[in-house]
Amino acid sequence: MSTFLAELLGTATLILLGDGVVAGVALNKSKAKDGGWIVVTMAWAVAVATAAWIFGPISGAHLNPALTIALAAIGKFAWSEVPAYIAAQFIGALVGAALVWLAYYAHWKETEDKATKLGVFCTAPAIRNVGANLITEIIGTFMLVFGILGLGETKMADGLGTFAVGLLILIIGLSLGGPTGYAINPARDLGPRIAHAILPIAGKGDSDWGYAWIPVVGPIIGGLLGGLLYTIIF
């Protein structure tokens, strides 16, 4: 139960801070309005590191079904624990998204654009192309999982490895985030997308379910490929 709660609260923290910065730079009358891509990518990186620093000692802070599945596939995590971890991650993502809605409660009705409001919760492609979008998510998550595993091979002082992972998230966002918004995490995208669908958000549109499978399937494939390459090299 402690690992379940750690994954739930860790993922909720990740989404609260990550989707929170998107709300801040996107929603009208926010003091952070138009903060830009650098602000978003830096905040997501720090959000990941913060959640990992807090909850890593309890659960390992996967916070991402693609990472959990990849670790199990290469024998670094028990398959028997995968369902509970993934359930916790999705519940946590939904909770974190709901908290973002509450934190910015007065700003939804001040923002007319429905796509902007959806973009606070989940990703969308800059150019909608199924094949290209899927490949982007595969590449981004491949780099995430391979990078996390590879960084783990380097001896670092306590806590410094988590800082390194935060930097990895930052460079993935800066370098590979432009085409799709770099979901690189099925729970990060689908959990908040479900929250968008069920919450009474003022003036919201649809939740773009036609695209929703890409940030789920792409990261799982990319994570498995990243884990596979790691086993070949190391």
Side-chain angles (χ1 to χ4, degrees), residues 130-232:
V130 170
N133 301 153
L134 183 64
I135 289 170
T136 296
E137 287 295 328
I138 290 171
I139 292 171
T141 317
F142 165 84
M143 192 64 251
L144 173 69
V145 172
F146 179 74
I148 288 173
L149 291 168
L151 288 169
E153 295 295 322
T154 300
K155 292 183 180 180
M156 302 185 194
D158 289 345
L160 189 58
T162 300
F163 179 76
V165 171
L167 291 179
L168 174 64
I169 299 290
L170 176 60
I171 193 59
I172 289 172
L174 291 173
S175 301
L176 303 172
T180 61
Y182 73 118
I184 60 174
N185 181 338
R188 171 267 175 274
D189 193 273
L190 185 56
R193 196 181 297 269
I194 293 171
H196 175 271
I198 64 178
L199 288 172
I201 302 164
K204 70 176 180 180
D206 68 74
S207 301
D208 193 11
W209 291 110
Y211 181 77
W213 68 274
I214 291 176
V216 172
V217 174
I220 292 173
I221 295 172
L224 288 170
L225 292 174
L228 176 61
L229 182 62
Y230 167 82
T231 62
I232 293 172

Side-chain angles (χ1 to χ4, degrees), residues 1-19 43-65 84-97 99 162 185 187-188 192:
M1 181 58 71
S2 62
T3 56
F4 181 88
L5 287 175
E7 282 296 298
L8 190 157
L9 294 173
T11 310
T13 300
L14 167 64
I15 299 303
L16 172 61
L17 300 178
D19 281 0
W44 269 105
V46 176
V48 172
T50 299
W53 270 316
I54 296 170
F55 299 102
I58 304 172
S59 69
H62 296 185
L63 315 178
N64 183 340
Y85 264 60
I86 291 178
Q89 290 155 3
F90 275 104
I91 294 169
L94 200 156
V95 169
L99 291 174
T162 300
N185 181 338
R188 171 267 175 274

